[in-house]
Amino acid sequence: HAPALKENNYKQISIRGIPLLENVEEVKKVFNRHLHFTIVKDRDVATDHDYYESIAYTVRDHLVSRWIRTNQYHFETDQKRVYYLSLEYHMGRALSNCMINLGIENSVDEALYEMGLNIEELEELESEAALGNGGLGRLAACYLDSMATLGLSAYGYGLRYDYGIFAQKIEDGYQKEYPENWLRYACPWEISRPEFLVPVQYYGKVIDDKDGKKKWVEYITVHAMPYDSPIPGYNNNVVNTLRLWSAKASEKFNFALFNSGDYIRAVAEQSSSEDITRVLYPNDDFDEGKILRLKQEYFLVSASVQDIIARYKRSKINLKADQQVDFTNFPDKAAIQLNDTHPALSVVELMRLLIDVENLGWDQAFDITKRTIAFTNHTLLPEALEKWPIDMFQKLLPRHFQLITDINAHHLDIVQKKWPEDKERMKRMTIIDDEAKKVNMGYLSVVGSHAVNGVAQMHSDLLKSTIMKDFYELNPEKFQNKTNGITPRRWLLICNPDLADLITTKIGEGWITDLAQLKQLRDYVDDEQFIRDIQRVKFENKERLSKFLKKNFNVNINPNSMFDVQVKRLHEYKRQLLNCLRVITVYNRIKANPDKDVIQRTIIFGGKAAPGYKTAKLIIKLICNVARTVSEDPVIGDRLRVVFLENYGVSLAEKIIPAVDLSEQISLAGLEASGTSNMKMMLNGGLTIGTMDGANVEICEEVGKDNIFTFGLTYKEVDELREKGYNAKDYYEHNAELKQAIEQIRDGVFSPEDPNLFSDIVKSLLESDEKFMLLADYEEYMKAHERVEQLYKDGTEWTKKCILNIAAAGKFSSDRAIREYAKDIWNVTPTDKKLPSPDAGRP
Ligand code: 6GP
């Protein structure tokens, strides 16, 4: 509660009239103030990092007035709020994003220039917020950007890991993991809120209270400390909030030790409860099943749901004193979106708070819960589907286990009524599997939600026909598709400014917030000047990437060659190994026919493997060894170059994506839920070579099949082949080039110092149950690459297709995706209205 102040004095406390960065002089003044007053350095001793921080604080000043005004506005209008819950946010750097979205990049640029500093160099000093693994975490970040740009009252909730995704180093061709201490320097973007600590409870037991209620007792408490970061919308004066929770020991932690006088040990042990948010689990599409992870999931969920309820109680309609808060309207005021099953405990945490704390009846609580929560699934891979051992779950969260048991009984009752004779179906659909002794979090998420969606059309269809078939038959109305999208701000306007300018000179800047307008570029597909400009911009981006790689990694690549790129997490289903077999074949062809005229290619790989994923790590080593063999072979010259780039993440992607000629999207059909690097490369004028999987199918629909290189088994063919029996050896025996490539790996051609190094890879490729059917798609993949080569020889024809790809990328904006979520799931209304400038007074 705010202290009581006299009306007139109180009015002097206002953000009105605080100087903003309207011009260059203003920027310099504020910058100087921060360097001296916040950082406490002068120019004799300031480091580049101090200058980075000073400019970050300067930009932040401009942003916070809008941030405060946005909160005031959302309080006044009390529109329905959207809560995005995710264990991962792969945000990347904030500085340039904030400047662009606020429209102050020019004045900041110039001010720094006048002070003798270089904005681009300073930007590189920001450590990136890499609190995610891959697609799922980056999607959450793109969605926050779009929700703010569309004027939604939206909040991201996540965990503030001390250590995000590890830093990858490649040493002698092997991946090594190093901790990335992104908080070593204070992060200028986050604001801690120690006054809003939220208690989170674990362990203990449940007893029956006198009044017949369930009571959770003897639990231990850990506190969740919120850290807020700003999420600016594009040019609309909206600044939303990403709230990340950090674990803080409760002072009462280990009371027994304090009481026994072992003060030192008691204080020392406090730190162990703070381990909950120490580190991000580095797995993509894989569930490790560790108790610390379950603690993390509950930590996020409990702190966030408590916070959401508290905000509801403090909202305008509920502030009226001494009136019992009415939860009937809760689902009209709050939508909670679960980013995969990781925050699935929200279902039972909301139930617990409504029943045990707010005293609602079970039926009403369940109705409110379902109407509030919706669930997005991001994968069909069985190894990624979360199932917690019953004992572990019950011990850590006894009250939640009871509630799941109740929900399951209620759910199976409905199933039984619908299919009275079908015992097998009941067994398949149980949330708590007593035989396997597991709690199925996917099923809990479906049962506790009113909407369930996949992330591309094909994936959503497969959800309904495979892992969620029974649930689809029970509640067909819940199931939807929401094809993923990427934010055109970070993934074109900011990362590829020259292309953005070129597009704007042709069609104006409307595309920045309405990406479908890119289709107007089709009018220029035959415009020779435009074709040359597009070629020039691509070439300059390739040159820039080449220089960057030379400077930072001492890697030499030739910007005159084709940049053929596969950057994404290392996973067998993504089939980097298929790409590697192709590279070996290209190498062999050049060796066999050294006089043949071929195009120059630079084949770029990048991506992290989960530290415990042996096969993926061995594939990295193989790629690196092939790269070495190719580069040491004098016959090859500049026709082929293979590089594995270290530490792929958001910041490196921002440099690579604008320089891509060819985008490799080659997963086995049915396994990549959507993909999003495919969209980024398309938007930046890369052509796709890909299978009919995930969002590739929709990319093909949008751009037309003449403007994309598709190949390989369709999902249906994969299914039939599996049914009839996939026989890897057949393909191996019948394709001499394929056989040669595999034999070379087997015989140690790429690892003469240890010829058996890759024997496991060779063995698994030839097994009849090789899950990713690499050899089945090899031949068509090679042929597709020959079509690529043909087209690339004609620079003009190639560039025309680049233009058609950019023109067709409109669908893949995260703004389009968020509009669909808003309409079909959240029931909120996007707006392009701009909030008044902060100086105009309270909105
Ligand atoms: C990924 C999917 O593999 C990818 O295809 C999709 O584009 C991305 O999610 C965003 O929807 N899934 C994960 O990263 C994951 O961990 C549990 O799923």
Side-chain angles (χ1 to χ4, degrees), residues 791-808:
L791 183 69
Y792 195 75
K793 283 183 178 155
D794 186 336
T796 305
E797 283 308 303
W798 178 275
T799 307
K800 285 183 179 178
K801 291 198 196 290
C802 297
I803 295 170
L804 292 175
N805 268 269
I806 299 169

Side-chain angles (χ1 to χ4, degrees), residues 135-136 139 284-285 340 342 378-379 455 484 573 672-676:
L136 172 142
L139 186 77
D284 189 68
D285 273 312
D340 215 89
H342 315 149
H378 294 268
T379 185
V455 290
N484 283 167
Y573 85 82
E672 188 70 271
S674 165
T676 42

Side-chain angles (χ1 to χ4, degrees), residues 124 547-555 646:
E124 290 293 313
K547 285 190 187 134
F548 175 83
L549 295 180
K550 175 72 196 159
K551 179 163 170 233
N552 291 278
F553 301 97
N554 200 24
V555 167
E646 208 168 74

Side-chain angles (χ1 to χ4, degrees), residues 561-821:
S561 62
M562 169 196 279
F563 284 11
D564 171 342
V565 182
Q566 187 174 22
V567 284
K568 47 183 78 249
R569 282 300 285 249
L570 234 299
H571 212 298
E572 286 164 279
Y573 85 82
K574 295 178 187 284
R575 302 201 295 191
Q576 283 92 350
L577 184 54
L578 175 60
N579 192 349
C580 188
L581 288 174
R582 187 264 304 197
V583 172
I584 295 172
T585 307
V586 172
Y587 170 65
N588 290 336
R589 285 181 184 176
I590 298 174
K591 296 270 286 183
N593 227 330
D595 298 326
K596 194 172 168 215
D597 178 35
V598 294
I599 64 168
Q600 302 179 349
R601 284 197 192 232
T602 299
I603 298 168
I604 299 175
F605 290 87
K608 294 175 187 178
Y613 191 173
K614 290 223 176 66
T615 308
K617 292 173 99 172
L618 194 57
I619 292 170
I620 294 181
K621 173 65 175 164
L622 175 62
I623 294 168
C624 292
N625 279 20
V626 170
R628 181 188 67 189
T629 307
V630 171
S631 73
E632 286 172 356
D633 194 325
V635 176
I636 299 303
D638 51 10
R639 282 173 282 193
L640 179 62
R641 185 129 178 78
V642 184
V643 293
F644 190 99
L645 297 183
E646 208 168 74
N647 207 32
Y648 181 66
V650 173
S651 298
L652 188 52
E654 287 170 14
K655 302 202 162 62
I656 295 173
I657 303 271
V660 170
D661 292 310
L662 186 67
S663 160
E664 299 270 352
Q665 307 296 339
I666 60 176
S667 51
L668 179 66
L671 295 180
E672 188 70 271
S674 165
T676 42
S677 75
N678 46 2
M679 302 171 182
K680 292 165 199 164
M681 293 182 192
M682 179 194 199
L683 181 61
N684 285 272
L687 303 193
T688 304
I689 181 167
T691 48
M692 279 301 200
D693 198 15
N696 298 353
V697 176
E698 288 157 77
I699 288 180
C700 182
E701 268 167 28
E702 293 298 302
V703 77
K705 63 181 187 332
D706 293 340
N707 302 311
I708 179 172
F709 304 96
T710 60
F711 72 94
L713 300 170
T714 61
Y715 173 74
K716 206 164 145 253
E717 289 163 347
V718 169
D719 218 29
E720 285 161 6
L721 184 55
R722 204 172 276 129
E723 193 71 5
K724 113 168 188 256
Y726 163 69
N727 190 351
K729 294 243 170 64
D730 271 1
Y731 301 95
Y732 174 76
E733 295 299 345
H734 289 106
N735 187 313
E737 289 188 304
L738 173 60
K739 189 155 187 254
Q740 182 189 8
I742 294 177
E743 282 171 357
Q744 287 168 314
I745 302 175
R746 184 196 64 196
D747 297 342
V749 169
F750 307 107
S751 54
E753 62 285 1
D754 179 1
N756 288 323
L757 185 59
F758 302 117
S759 56
D760 286 351
I761 289 182
V762 172
K763 194 164 151 272
S764 89
L765 274 176
L766 295 175
E767 269 160 10
S768 57
D769 60 350
E770 194 275 298
K771 288 204 293 249
F772 309 106
M773 299 185 175
L774 263 70
L775 307 196
D777 276 345
Y778 167 86
E779 194 169 314
E780 274 209 38
Y781 182 44
M782 292 308 304
K783 290 204 177 119
H785 265 297
E786 281 151 32
R787 300 200 298 277
V788 169
E789 176 133 8
Q790 272 311 315
L791 183 69
Y792 195 75
K793 283 183 178 155
D794 186 336
T796 305
E797 283 308 303
W798 178 275
T799 307
K800 285 183 179 178
K801 291 198 196 290
C802 297
I803 295 170
L804 292 175
N805 268 269
I806 299 169
K811 174 174 179 183
F812 304 106
S813 167
S814 46
D815 299 339
R816 186 270 315 148
I818 288 299
R819 281 184 195 283
E820 293 178 10
Y821 279 93

